[in-house]
């Protein structure tokens, strides 16, 4: 059985975090992984730092797709999936944090449940990566209708089994909030996401971005309802009310 896990990491202007993030992957207790970094034409020195660091550590489990223009996270992740060799696809954003046994425990859960689509709890962290004690607990299962009202599927917790979901099905659409759009797409197709109710991921949340992110999130979720899912105004509003309530509760 091919239990290789392909870890897909879009990289754009994350000079402050990228070395640390690679370290979290290299520290995993489960070692049968490949890490695919998609360097999305950064202009803050990330590109140069990454090249220098990877030459220094010489870890052949890590590969980089060097892009000559900025394509955005959806296209970057899709390029990574196309390049991947593993049965399992795991997503990691370049500033998030995995506990050392994240892969081992989540993979064990997926095998036990025979899950095609898995996501888990996560904890909010400050800019330095320290947990703030605020944990988002996920349900045991997530269906499409439930997901429309409850967007707790956090990208850096997601793992997919490509023996059950084809790579062509897990292409992210090139829209804002591309990750949520993909989760809804998979769930709409009939897959059920299994909730791994362990907290092994920290979501780093820089303080300076919080207020601006609120309005952006509202605009993006509404666009997903209306333009991507093609939901009517009333049904979009109904789902949006539940989404807004849960979004506020997660952050207070």
């Amino acid at each position: 059985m091919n239990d290789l896990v392909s870890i897909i990491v879009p990289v754009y202007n994350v000079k402050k975090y990228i070395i640390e993030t690679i370290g979290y992957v290299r520290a995993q207790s489960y070692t049968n992984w490949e890490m695919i970094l998609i360097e999305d034409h950064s202009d803050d020195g990330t590109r140069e730092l990454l090249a220098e660091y990877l030459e220094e550590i010489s870890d052949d489990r890590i590969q980089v797709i060097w892009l000559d223009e900025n394509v955005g996270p959806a296209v970057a992740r899709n390029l990574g999936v196309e390049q991947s060799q593993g049965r399992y696809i795991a997503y990691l954003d370049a500033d998030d944090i995995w506990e050392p046994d994240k892969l081992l425990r989540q993979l064990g859960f997926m095998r036990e449940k025979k899950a095609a689509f898995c996501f888990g709890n996560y904890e909010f962290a400050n800019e330095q990566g320290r947990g703030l004690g605020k944990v988002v607990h996920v349900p045991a299962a997530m269906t499409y209708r439930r997901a429309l009202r409850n967007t707790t599927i956090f990208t850096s917790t997601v793992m997919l089994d490509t023996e059950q979901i084809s790579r062509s099905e897990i292409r992210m659409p090139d829209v804002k909030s591309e990750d949520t759009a993909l989760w809804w797409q998979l769930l709409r197709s009939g897959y059920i996401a299994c909730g791994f109710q362990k907290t092994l991921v920290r979501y780093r949340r820089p303080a300076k971005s919080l207020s601006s992110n609120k309005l952006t999130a509202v605009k993006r979720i509404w666009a997903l309802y209306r333009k991507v899912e093609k939901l009517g105004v009333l049904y979009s509003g109904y789902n949006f009310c539940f989404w807004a309530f849960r979004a506020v509760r997660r952050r207070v």
Side-chain angles (χ1 to χ4, degrees):
M1 181 183 293
N2 174 20
D3 285 340
L4 178 67
V5 179
S6 297
I7 304 162
I8 310 300
V9 187
V11 177
Y12 179 68
N13 287 356
V14 284
K15 182 179 180 180
K16 187 174 181 179
Y17 306 117
I18 188 59
I19 304 306
E20 188 178 348
T21 300
I22 294 171
Y24 293 129
V25 173
R26 298 184 75 213
Q28 289 295 301
S29 54
Y30 185 82
T31 58
N32 189 20
W33 52 260
E34 63 173 1
M35 186 180 196
I36 302 176
L37 301 157
I38 308 91
E39 210 299 309
D40 198 11
H41 203 62
S42 298
D43 57 14
D44 70 338
T46 297
R47 198 176 183 93
E48 295 76 15
L49 176 66
L50 182 58
E52 181 181 338
Y53 177 71
L54 292 179
E55 184 176 356
E56 177 185 321
I57 63 172
S58 188
D59 190 331
D60 59 10
R61 296 173 298 177
I62 302 172
Q63 57 179 295
V64 185
I65 299 173
W66 304 97
L67 299 181
D68 294 328
E69 61 179 351
N70 180 257
V71 298
V75 175
R77 290 193 184 102
N78 291 340
L79 289 170
V81 170
E82 290 172 10
Q83 187 82 9
S84 67
Q85 299 296 315
R87 169 177 174 175
Y88 296 93
I89 301 292
Y91 293 101
L92 175 60
D93 284 349
D95 55 353
D96 290 332
I97 298 161
W98 280 359
E99 298 298 333
D101 57 349
K102 189 266 187 190
L103 286 180
L104 181 67
R105 296 181 68 183
Q106 187 170 16
L107 188 56
F109 175 81
M110 289 194 72
R111 290 168 178 158
E112 177 188 344
K113 298 292 184 181
K114 297 181 172 58
F117 181 172
C118 178
F119 67 111
N121 294 352
Y122 61 94
E123 180 182 8
F124 287 107
N126 63 16
E127 194 165 359
Q128 289 71 44
R130 290 191 293 272
L132 300 174
K134 178 64 177 177
V135 174
V136 176
H137 296 277
V138 302
M142 184 74 80
T143 62
Y144 175 64
R145 288 185 178 275
R146 186 171 189 175
L148 290 175
R149 305 191 303 270
N150 183 1
T151 57
T152 56
I153 301 177
F154 179 49
T155 305
S156 291
T157 73
V158 169
M159 189 180 288
L160 304 171
D161 180 359
T162 65
E163 288 194 0
Q164 299 185 63
I165 305 176
S166 68
R167 280 177 168 77
S168 63
E169 290 180 281
I170 59 177
R171 290 185 60 81
M172 288 191 177
D174 192 10
V175 298
K176 300 295 185 183
S177 296
E178 69 290 334
D179 44 2
T180 297
L182 174 59
W183 316 147
W184 289 359
Q185 178 180 300
L186 292 173
L187 296 172
R188 183 169 16 91
S189 297
Y191 295 106
I192 294 175
C194 292
F196 180 48
Q197 297 170 317
K198 303 294 181 184
T199 309
L200 300 172
V201 176
R202 276 174 275 158
Y203 167 36
R204 197 192 306 260
R205 204 168 53 150
K208 63 182 179 181
S209 70
L210 295 184
S211 58
S212 60
N213 279 351
K214 292 175 185 176
L215 181 58
T216 299
V218 166
K219 290 179 178 178
R220 287 182 175 184
I221 197 74
W222 187 256
L224 288 183
Y225 288 140
R226 299 287 287 128
K227 296 179 181 179
V228 178
E229 295 303 304
K230 311 294 186 184
L231 303 180
V233 174
L234 291 179
Y235 192 43
S236 295
Y238 169 77
N239 288 305
F240 179 82
C241 289
F242 282 97
W243 171 84
F245 172 75
R246 289 189 170 95
V248 170
R249 189 173 65 177
R250 283 199 298 270
R251 286 163 170 78
V252 297

